[in-house]
Amino acid sequence: MTVGEEVPARLRRAARALLRPGGLLPRPTGQQRLVDAALALVLTFVAMQYAWGDGYDEAHRHRMTDLVLVVFLASASLAWRRRYPLAVLWIVTVAMALTPDDVARLTFYSCVIAAYSAAAYSPHRLPTLASLTVAIVLISRSGATGPPNPYAYVAPTVPTQYVALFISAPLVVAAIGLRTWKLRAAETHTRLTAVENARTEELHRAVEHERARIARELHDVVTHNVSVMVIQAGAARKIMDKSPDRAREALLAVEAGGRAAMGELRDVMGLLRMDLPTETDAGAEQGFERAGAEPESLAPQPGLDRLEALVGRMCGAGVPVELTVSGTPRPLSPGVELAAYRVVQEALTNTVKHASGADARVQVSYGEDELHVEVTDTGGRPGPAAATGNGRGLIGLRERLSVYGGTLRTGPRPLGGYRVQARIPLLPLGDL
């Protein structure tokens, strides 16, 4: 763009900026309406008192009615100076144009206030600028003597009895404004402090919630796999001399359980450390390469599609488990699937720990608006890993399910054994 083209473009942008509204008209509060009404009332009273008093020239007595009407319109219209600032300026400007020069003070002060209100509140830039220009010209001619001269400014004189009022009123307004500003500044500081404190508390709650979530994940992963490994290792120890082949199978199951535990732990920790590889990570990868294995990529958290693998591991550990799925399986949110998987995992872990030799049954039912998960066992004697529990497993399940509006019911069965029931409301994937 050349210099000759740039100047018209700037002018066009400036013209569009002038024609574009600068915002919305303000909505005066009740207190502001009251102040504007009081201001209009005071100016109307003072102007009317002067118009009917001795200050008005006797030569204009025959036009008293017209002048009173003009003065009343100019002063009373200020009651709407915030809601209709441009219209009020036009009314006052016309009234000032109709006011004789020798009594210009009757509408002069109203015109000054209306001009300020239009400049402060009117969103219409171009009409406001044009109206202010006309008002300034009229003000500059008010009180002038001799031939009209728009460049000769003679301000209207102020009566002596009102000098004290015009000095004290701005001082009072300034003091009130200063006090209001201080109060608002103190309120703003208080609100900011409260917001900062609330954010700090929210951050602390988020940290505690995250710690609890990590603790639940680690508990579910470690407890289940370690319990199975303890059972398999104990079985291998007992039959190592009599049946080495079966002991070898048990040790292979221990190894598989350890690998599964390491894989899930890696997935959990990977979710917490989504950053660049550190020196430790690089060393671990080099260790994998030296061992002839590739570092596994981050896998998703387990869901209902991995229940068969979980049941297979339990059967390999010597716990007969029957899996039944009813209803129409469909994709659910990852959080709901993980919660349902953890319910089955924790229930089977408790069966291994507290009901050694029991048979277990897992039922998963897909309803229209609810997922029902039930795990039952036939009862048995406490296993070797029973003393390792801390009672936090079922509490963690209730906390996990409560996030999705689910419920957990646990307790002994009437004919022996134990039952764990979970119900989770199902919502469309878009609402989760």
Side-chain angles (χ1 to χ4, degrees):
M1 181 181 294
T2 62
V3 177
E5 296 176 349
E6 185 177 358
V7 174
R10 289 182 177 179
L11 292 176
R12 286 194 297 270
R13 287 195 296 269
R16 285 196 296 267
L18 288 175
L19 294 174
R20 186 172 59 248
L24 300 175
L25 283 171
R27 292 285 183 179
T29 62
Q31 183 179 5
Q32 290 174 339
R33 292 194 184 97
L34 183 61
V35 171
D36 292 342
L39 177 64
L41 180 62
V42 170
L43 285 179
T44 302
F45 174 78
V46 174
M48 297 295 288
Q49 182 184 21
Y50 178 78
W52 286 99
D54 297 335
Y56 187 57
D57 192 350
E58 293 292 339
H60 300 288
R61 287 290 183 181
H62 62 284
R63 293 190 299 168
M64 178 67 67
T65 304
D66 296 338
L67 183 60
V68 168
L69 180 61
V70 169
V71 171
F72 177 79
L73 288 176
S75 302
S77 63
L78 295 178
W80 293 273
R81 68 184 186 92
R82 298 179 198 264
R83 191 67 183 90
Y84 307 101
L86 198 55
V88 170
L89 177 60
W90 290 343
I91 294 174
V92 177
T93 301
V94 172
M96 188 169 186
L98 297 176
T99 304
D101 291 343
D102 54 347
V103 288
R105 74 179 66 176
L106 296 178
T107 55
F108 170 78
Y109 304 109
S110 298
C111 189
V112 171
I113 297 174
Y116 163 78
S117 302
Y121 305 119
S122 177
H124 309 290
R125 295 184 177 93
L126 190 59
T128 301
L129 290 176
S131 302
L132 289 175
T133 303
V134 174
I136 291 173
V137 171
L138 290 176
I139 291 175
S140 64
R141 295 184 59 186
S142 64
T145 58
N149 182 7
Y151 301 102
Y153 173 72
V154 180
T157 59
V158 179
T160 304
Q161 62 269 28
Y162 298 123
V163 171
L165 176 63
F166 281 102
I167 293 177
S168 60
L171 294 178
V172 172
V173 172
I176 295 176
L178 181 61
R179 180 176 180 276
T180 303
W181 176 80
K182 289 183 177 180
L183 290 176
R184 290 181 178 176
E187 292 176 357
T188 302
H189 181 268
T190 303
R191 287 196 298 268
L192 290 176
T193 303
V195 169
E196 184 177 358
N197 293 336
R199 291 184 60 182
T200 303
E201 293 178 1
E202 184 178 357
L203 179 60
H204 289 164
R205 287 195 298 268
V207 170
E208 293 297 330
H209 176 74
E210 188 65 16
R211 287 177 177 174
R213 188 183 71 85
I214 296 171
R216 288 196 301 267
E217 292 293 334
L218 294 177
H219 171 273
D220 294 338
V221 171
V222 174
T223 303
H224 170 75
N225 291 283
V226 170
S227 298
V228 175
M229 292 167 62
V230 168
I231 292 176
Q232 294 283 13
R237 176 179 56 82
K238 292 179 180 180
I239 63 176
M240 184 173 297
D241 296 332
K242 298 180 180 180
S243 180
D245 293 336
R246 293 180 61 187
R248 185 180 299 108
E249 293 178 1
L251 292 176
L252 290 176
V254 172
E255 181 182 0
R259 290 182 182 276
M262 290 300 297
E264 292 195 40
L265 285 175
R266 183 171 56 251
D267 294 341
V268 173
M269 300 307 296
L271 293 175
L272 302 176
R273 299 180 58 206
M274 301 294 290
D275 52 358
L276 296 176
T278 60
E279 296 180 358
T280 305
D281 298 329
E285 293 181 2
Q286 293 175 2
F288 274 111
E289 294 174 357
R290 287 194 296 269
E294 294 292 335
E296 297 183 6
S297 59
L298 185 62
Q301 291 285 77
L304 294 177
D305 57 338
R306 293 170 63 176
L307 283 181
E308 292 184 0
L310 175 64
V311 170
R313 290 197 302 269
M314 297 299 298
C315 292
V319 181
V321 181
E322 178 185 354
L323 174 62
T324 304
V325 178
S326 60
T328 304
R330 57 184 183 274
L332 305 177
S333 69
V336 171
E337 293 210 9
L338 177 60
Y341 179 88
R342 294 303 187 198
V343 168
V344 177
Q345 186 183 55
E346 178 65 24
L348 293 180
T349 301
N350 289 339
T351 299
V352 170
K353 293 167 60 176
H354 304 287
S356 179
D359 296 341
R361 184 178 182 184
V362 178
Q363 292 179 311
V364 179
S365 301
Y366 289 85
E368 294 184 0
D369 54 0
E370 187 179 66
L371 178 68
H372 180 212
V373 179
E374 180 178 278
V375 182
T376 59
D377 62 60
T378 58
R381 63 184 183 279
T388 61
N390 57 5
R392 291 290 304 174
L394 296 179
I395 296 177
L397 286 182
R398 287 191 173 88
E399 294 175 352
R400 185 191 296 274
L401 293 174
S402 65
V403 174
Y404 305 100
T407 58
L408 182 71
R409 296 179 59 187
T410 60
R413 302 171 63 192
L415 299 180
Y418 204 78
R419 175 185 286 111
V420 176
Q421 290 180 324
R423 296 182 181 274
I424 309 175
L426 298 182
L427 298 175
L429 289 177
D431 297 339
L432 295 174

